Amino acid sequence: MDHQSSRGLQQFKNYVGIKFQLYNSLFTSLPFHRIEKTGILLSLLLNNCEEGFKRKLSPVQIIDEFFEKHTSYTKEQEKIDLLFRFIQYVERQVVLFDALEDAAFRDVNDMNGIGTLKHLESEVLQENAQQQLIEKLKDFSIRLVLTAHPTQFYPGTVLGIINDLSRALQENNAAQINTYLQQLGKTPFFKKQKPTPYDEAISLVWYLENIFYQAAGRIINFMKQQFPEAVPSHNPVITMGFWPGGDRDGNPNVRVDTTLKVADTLRGSIIKCYYLDVRRLKRRLTFKGVDTILNELEKELYNNIFIPGQRTAISKQGLLDELFKIRDILVYQHNGLFQHLVDSLINKIQVFGLHFASLDIRQDSSVHNTVLEAIAEKGDGLPENYASLSTEEKINTLTSLTKRSTPDIYEDGVVKDTLDTICAVKTIQEYNGQEGCNRYIISQCNSVLNVLEVFALFTLCGWDKEELSIDIVPLFETIDDLQKAGEIMVALYKNPVYKAHLAKRQSRQTIMLGFSDGTKDGGYLMANWSIFKAKEELTRLSKEYEIDVVFFDGRGGPPARGGGKTHKFYASMGRNISNQEIQLTIQGQTVSSNFGTIDSAQFNIEQLLNAGISNDLFSTRERTLDAAEEELLKELAQESLDAYKELKDHPDFLQYLSHISPLKFYSETNIGSRPAKRGSGGKLSLKDLRAIPFVGAWSQLKQNVTGYYGVGAALQVLDKKGKTPQLRQLYQQSLFFRTLIDNCEMAMKKCFFPLTEYLAQDERYGEIWNKIYNEYELTQRYIFQLTGKKELMADYPVEQLSIMMRERIVLPLTTIQQYALTRIRQMEEELAPAQHREILEKLVIRSAFGIINAGRNSA
């Protein structure tokens, strides 16, 4: 273990481990019913779980034995009540742990160490690479896109308490900590109603205002101070994207009014941030000549937020002009006194404009065809025989449109909403600036026609082809779509009308690649390898057609959805993959776990910036894979896909997941506005099932199939072919392969098979359980052979300890959840009266919150 890891581990033990034990005792005074007894009984249950699983008992046996040994309860209702009290108690223990980790962030992580901008600065100076940095930053940036994917199990009220609690913990303010823990005791964790898309937007705007506004400001200030020549005014370097209110894919609750309302909220929210900053400036800049400009600025900002009908033609450039005037006065008349405060606000306005975050519109490709056919039926700008045309004829028709459609003639529904939304983009650009809404993402995109359908819809809605200020972004997700992506893009680059459109968009094409559905479709290794290869091919082809390609990665929290050590992935891309921008989705728990405080957000944004910049700046950085290494990875991915497919094609695969895990209760957790599956059919199919509940269900089972299944089988096949020495060499030399294995280890570290070992002998599910368990054991054995280590995540001792502590805290919850699921299955099999069934289902749902929150990136 290196010095930094060892120091971090010690700090973690001091600031998180020991403090957790200390403050945990405060829970006994929380305002719960008979709380002190709950606390004592919970520690007995935890002990029972640990001992019981060692003795190979099932969750039902463990819970029954606990009630028999440690309580006098005989009535079912009393037992269930106690289990609910345990859930409440553990949920709050997880909050305390989260807050302690947040509070200790600066002590545990080296804020100036490897991967930070401070470290980059010393490398640039050492290598004398200032000029290369200036070149790189002409157009390099990172874009973090906050999405509305329903994996944030904390309601906003609780997130606020975590934030305040971590501040009090940093200051060791015991009285305040106690008060916040009491507030926590009285604050509900469960939402009675599903949030609306607007509710989701509001909870993410909190992060924009309180975290990203500050963190991005700090970073840009640092970069401009250290490298004044390097950050050009036209390139903000950090940009934010936003999906709630714009993402319609599979969410019937997002309508045009939501989109407009969210765009308005984003504008109001950033103006509010500027207004508060101007008020702070007024406290310092009390000099003649400056005060009048600030007063006018304050008044204009105030009117734009608080006085209806007073919205003035305020613009990003207008705000900057006023601040530059102030800056000049300070420099020439007041010796630059407090100039840094004005510079700081200028930097923020250059990053966030009047839009705060770009609102992306996203819709499923099949919808656009439906809309165009409806337009053709009414002869409203398209020929009536449109539906019967060949693909080529459709493309010719769509790229040579001259007529306009009339959205008003359609009844409320998907056709009218799609047309109204495309018209609304103009309104948003008018008020929030062009960056406010300038991308349309097509999910399940699998043809050239899918892209040109969207292009045509903009023409039909009155957008001038010559001035179309929109990027059309195809999203490729399944393994099959990723393989076809190259030929689709070439056909688009060759299409004269689309090519002319790209020329007006600085010859830049954004392509989105989805990790989640890729993994669900092809397993962990094949999804990552297919995306890597697709990026290489799309980079090569785009270069050939003189197009700058930008990749936008749809990543989730866990490794199975492209998460894990994300910055290491970007550092490992090699030189054959376009690195002009790093764009990725940040969703669900990843928002609160990686960007929950200004410190952690700054650290993680710096890691991404460093990864993208270093990749091009230093010749010693990540080398590109050679042909033999590519062949090796390709073979691994194929073997892994075969193993995963065999599991996925097992006749009981979906039954297993839907009966043994809480999958079917996902939509009842009321954490997202979106249904858990696409389509309205009653039968569950893997294609319709969304990646989030799919991955989340495996993680609650503590089997995390999507994070490693097929890796062991693939390594074994190659080992038998005598290729282990080459694999070891690949592991040593390729950061890409090493990061894949690191993330795989993280998924495995969060597994706990004793929880479900009672299924090993089960008539129906025993075969699948043993298949998964054997693959887990096989993968672990071969990973140790590859890494030379004897335990998972040995190179990341702090994260390893954090996972172990978190998994121990929620062990009673995973046990209670399995207990309830087993009893529900028994009732179904015996056709018993369902009197307690509803309450058992509630137990399943309520346990899910603590389990997922403790996982940090488990859904």
Side-chain angles (χ1 to χ4, degrees), residues 64-165:
D64 286 347
E65 185 181 274
F66 163 77
F67 279 119
E68 214 172 292
K69 267 168 65 176
H70 301 295
T71 74
S72 53
Y73 296 154
T74 49
K75 291 194 187 119
E76 181 76 3
Q77 192 55 51
E78 289 178 317
K79 293 179 180 178
I80 297 274
D81 280 352
L82 182 64
L83 294 178
F84 273 115
R85 293 217 301 279
F86 286 157
I87 290 171
Q88 280 190 313
Y89 199 102
V90 173
E91 276 178 335
R92 284 151 180 84
Q93 283 182 312
V94 174
V95 168
L96 174 62
F97 199 86
D98 279 352
L100 280 164
E101 278 204 336
D102 284 349
F105 194 89
R106 267 187 175 272
D107 298 299
V108 172
N109 294 281
D110 184 353
M111 301 299 281
N112 298 320
I114 290 170
T116 62
L117 288 183
K118 194 80 186 137
H119 183 253
L120 178 73
E121 180 197 5
S122 60
E123 283 193 306
V124 168
L125 296 173
Q126 216 173 322
E127 302 260 333
N128 220 352
Q130 290 92 324
Q131 199 46 48
Q132 291 95 304
L133 181 68
I134 290 171
E135 278 306 304
K136 177 69 184 166
L137 288 181
K138 274 182 182 166
D139 55 9
F140 173 76
S141 66
I142 63 164
R143 181 189 290 233
L144 304 175
V145 181
L146 303 177
T147 78
H149 288 47
T151 55
Q152 180 47 271
F153 277 65
Y154 285 134
T157 46
V158 176
L159 287 169
I161 297 171
I162 294 177
N163 199 274
D164 297 340
L165 183 58

Side-chain angles (χ1 to χ4, degrees), residues 282-310:
K282 279 182 72 178
R283 294 282 294 274
R284 299 280 79 84
L285 305 184
T286 46
F287 321 136
K288 190 166 174 254
V290 174
D291 51 356
T292 48
I293 303 175
L294 276 177
N295 282 335
E296 280 306 307
L297 207 48
E298 181 192 10
K299 199 162 110 190
E300 191 171 19
L301 292 168
Y302 181 89
N303 289 349
N304 267 273
I305 323 168
F306 299 115
I307 302 185
Q310 287 287 313

Side-chain angles (χ1 to χ4, degrees), residues 451 455 465-466 468 470-474 489-511 542 545-549:
V451 175
F455 182 82
K465 277 183 207 164
E466 301 304 307
L468 181 54
I470 290 288
D471 294 326
I472 299 169
V473 181
M489 294 317 297
V490 165
L492 278 168
Y493 295 156
K494 282 180 172 172
N495 182 290
V497 176
Y498 191 75
K499 196 176 178 193
H501 164 65
L502 283 182
K504 306 223 168 34
R505 303 296 293 158
Q506 281 98 38
S507 294
R508 174 181 288 206
Q509 171 69 54
T510 303
I511 298 172
S542 301
Y545 288 88
E546 298 179 340
I547 301 292
D548 288 332
V549 70

